[in-house]
């Protein structure tokens, strides 16, 4: 792995960091407390083509790799995690179209997706298909030149402001699994909203449960080969945005805590002068660096075309737990004020917890990691 960033990568990181500090973080507490979708922020990110960061330039994207995505997502998440998650998930949808769609589909959807004029969200999880997506119950049946979809999806982050849902549905019998699930690009207006949950965190971008009832979509809305949607999704590595979000929260918690303890005085000295506090801050810094290095390694190896099963699982587990641990410590070291909405740290803790569940619970990734390690070193 290359440990140093290129000049272009540093420039991208610094540009997104400045945007996040000036345009997002000053509004973060209000957006979270009022549960307000950050539409203006997304418009400005669209002007910068951040929603098309990894899309080819020929389709209006910036043509960058997963390392660049990781850097950008860290910066956005350090300011407001739901902004980062929305961009990451949107890019995941666009990447499926770019990788597996037809030329006509790429030309029709990607240019506007690159600027966030068209917003894509992911419809994959269901009530009985959380970690195991093969148990999904949504179906798609072909009738002449149309597909008829029935079922539901939940935890569809950003749906309320989306244009299309990349919807996964069974198109073959269970005995053909995993080659029995296809992907369709379905207009968001075709869904009915069943429930909008009140959640612990990520308040500014809602993740409702939605339903499809005999919804007909043209045959040209099938993305990729019939029956291969689930398998093809395994070739998409934009999910590295999840640990990158963890790095962003962990770093923000560290920075806020170092600043607060260096200015707050007790017993005639700054809190940061106490050795116990210094050690805690040092450990927070270790977590950030470890999480970032693991995440960048996964992204870099994916960019090079390597299998990143082991690297991604390790990054996901470590970075998301680092976010929880650092946010929890930040609340503690901020004292009573850390428990109020006057400071950002209580939001970091609420948002961080989601990351240990989103993208598959960490327990499942621990299984994946262990199997990869045993396969490599076992007899």
């Amino acid at each position: 792995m290359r440990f140093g960033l290129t000049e272009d990568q540093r420039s991208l990181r610094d540009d997104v960091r400045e945007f996040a500090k000036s345009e997002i973080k000053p509004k973060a507490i209000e957006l979270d407390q009022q549960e307000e979708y950050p539409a203006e922020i997304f418009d400005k990110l669209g002007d910068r083509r951040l929603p098309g960061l990894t899309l080819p330039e020929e389709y209006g994207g910036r043509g960058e790799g997963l390392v660049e995505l990781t850097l950008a997502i860290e910066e956005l998440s350090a300011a407001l995690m739901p902004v980062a998650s929305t961009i990451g998930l949107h890019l995941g949808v666009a990447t499926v179209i770019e990788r597996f769609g037809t030329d006509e589909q790429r030309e029709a959807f990607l240019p506007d997706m690159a600027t966030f004029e068209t917003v894509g969200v992911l419809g994959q999880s269901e009530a009985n298909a959380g970690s195991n997506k093969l148990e999904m119950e949504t179906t798609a049946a072909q009738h002449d030149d149309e597909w008829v979809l029935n079922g539901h999806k939940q935890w569809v982050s950003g749906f309320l402001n989306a244009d299309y849902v990349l919807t996964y549905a069974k198109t073959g019998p269970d005995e053909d699994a995993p080659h029995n699930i296809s992907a369709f690009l379905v207009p968001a207006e075709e869904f009915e909203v069943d429930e909008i949950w009140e959640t612990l965190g990520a308040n500014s971008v809602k993740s409702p449960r939605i339903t499809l009832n005999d919804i007909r979509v043209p045959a040209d809305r099938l993305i990729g080969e019939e029956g291969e949607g689930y398998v093809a999704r395994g070739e998409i590595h934009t999910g590295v945005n999840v640990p990158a979000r963890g790095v962003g929260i962990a770093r923000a918690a560290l920075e806020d805590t170092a600043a607060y303890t260096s200015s707050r005085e007790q017993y005639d000295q700054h809190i940061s002068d106490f050795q116990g506090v210094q050690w805690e801050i040092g450990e927070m810094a270790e977590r950030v660096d470890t999480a970032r290095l693991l995440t960048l390694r996964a992204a870099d190896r994916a960019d090079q075309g390597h299998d990143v099963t082991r690297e991604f699982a390790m990054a996901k587990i470590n970075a998301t737990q680092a976010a929880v641990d650092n946010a929890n410590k930040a609340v503690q070291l901020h004292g009573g004020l850390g428990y109020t909405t006057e400071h950002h740290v209580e939001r970091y803790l609420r948002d961080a917890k989601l990351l240990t569940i989103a993208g598959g619970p960490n327990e499942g990734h621990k299984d994946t990691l262990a199997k990869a390690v045993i396969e490599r070193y076992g007899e």
Side-chain angles (χ1 to χ4, degrees):
M1 173 186 170
R2 298 179 293 271
F3 284 89
L5 301 179
T6 67
E7 182 177 344
D8 287 343
Q9 288 169 340
R10 288 195 298 271
S11 178
L12 170 67
R13 178 200 62 192
D14 294 346
D15 181 60
V16 180
R17 180 174 296 182
E18 176 57 33
F19 178 88
K21 286 185 175 180
S22 62
E23 299 288 341
I24 303 177
K25 194 161 187 176
K27 306 171 184 176
I29 291 176
E30 181 180 1
L31 288 168
D32 176 75
Q33 292 299 304
Q34 295 187 4
E35 302 186 2
E36 179 182 346
Y37 184 76
E40 183 180 349
I41 289 170
F42 287 129
D43 287 343
K44 293 180 179 180
L45 288 173
D47 291 340
R48 294 167 176 261
R49 291 183 296 139
L50 258 295
L53 182 65
T54 59
L55 297 179
E57 293 183 37
E58 64 183 295
Y59 296 114
R62 295 177 56 158
E64 303 289 2
L66 293 172
V67 168
E68 287 79 9
L69 175 62
T70 296
L71 296 171
I73 290 295
E74 176 187 332
E75 300 305 328
L76 295 175
S77 187
L80 185 59
M81 193 277 288
V83 171
S85 66
T86 300
I87 296 298
L89 289 166
H90 169 83
L91 258 174
V93 172
T95 301
V96 170
I97 298 172
E98 186 267 318
R99 286 283 303 278
F100 306 110
T102 63
D103 289 339
E104 292 77 11
Q105 289 169 338
R106 296 186 189 101
E107 292 169 0
F109 296 107
L110 294 185
D112 283 347
M113 294 186 82
T115 58
F116 218 58
E117 292 178 47
T118 294
V119 180
V121 296
L122 178 62
Q124 192 175 31
S125 293
E126 298 179 5
N128 296 319
S131 299
N132 185 5
K133 303 300 189 294
L134 294 178
E135 295 181 353
M136 70 175 59
E137 299 167 358
T138 298
T139 60
Q142 191 167 18
H143 293 279
D144 297 325
D145 59 349
E146 292 181 318
W147 289 90
V148 180
L149 282 76
N150 284 281
H152 79 279
K153 296 296 174 182
Q154 66 182 32
W155 314 125
V156 186
S157 297
F159 171 81
L160 299 180
N161 300 87
D163 297 296
Y164 290 96
V165 181
L166 184 64
T167 306
Y168 287 81
K170 284 186 176 178
T171 52
D174 289 345
E175 53 264 31
D176 289 345
H179 302 282
N180 65 333
I181 295 175
S182 304
F184 301 87
L185 200 62
V186 182
E189 63 191 26
E190 299 286 1
F191 291 81
E192 297 178 5
V193 176
D194 292 333
E195 186 167 4
I196 303 174
W197 283 282
E198 292 297 322
T199 54
L200 178 67
N203 290 327
S204 55
V205 178
K206 296 299 183 180
S207 303
R209 173 184 165 122
I210 56 179
T211 296
L212 287 157
N213 290 310
D214 289 329
I215 298 305
R216 294 178 176 270
V217 297
D220 62 4
R221 292 300 170 87
L222 171 68
I223 308 297
E225 296 183 25
E226 180 183 342
E228 298 301 320
Y230 178 84
V231 175
R233 185 161 187 80
E235 301 177 23
I236 300 297
H237 298 301
T238 53
V240 75
N241 81 86
V242 179
R245 285 185 254 161
V247 177
I249 292 178
R251 194 196 83 211
L254 166 66
E255 292 176 345
D256 287 11
T257 302
Y260 179 78
T261 58
S262 296
S263 61
R264 170 73 166 161
E265 290 189 4
Q266 290 288 277
Y267 301 104
D268 298 322
Q269 61 180 328
H270 292 118
I271 296 175
S272 60
D273 292 334
F274 291 98
Q275 186 181 60
V277 173
Q278 292 175 347
W279 286 9
E280 297 280 13
I281 292 175
E283 289 179 359
M284 292 173 73
E286 288 179 22
R287 293 190 194 106
V288 173
D289 282 11
T290 302
R292 181 184 293 118
L293 288 170
L294 286 172
T295 303
L296 285 172
R297 181 183 68 169
D300 185 56
R301 286 184 60 79
D303 278 336
Q304 296 178 53
H306 296 296
D307 177 18
V308 291
T309 301
R310 177 177 179 270
E311 288 81 4
F312 175 76
M314 195 176 291
K316 204 279 185 183
I317 296 163
N318 183 278
T320 58
Q321 189 60 48
V324 173
D325 292 343
N326 271 17
N328 190 44
K329 188 56 63 177
V331 171
Q332 188 70 23
L333 293 179
H334 275 72
L337 287 178
Y339 200 62
T340 73
T341 58
E342 183 175 328
H343 288 265
H344 296 274
V345 292
E346 62 84 27
R347 186 185 76 256
Y348 298 156
L349 183 56
R350 290 186 287 108
D351 285 357
K353 185 56 188 171
L354 171 62
L355 300 180
T356 67
I357 304 169
N362 281 4
E363 289 77 8
H365 288 284
K366 288 178 181 180
D367 288 342
T368 299
L369 174 59
K371 290 176 182 176
V373 171
I374 292 170
E375 181 178 341
R376 180 174 179 180
Y377 297 111
E379 295 182 358

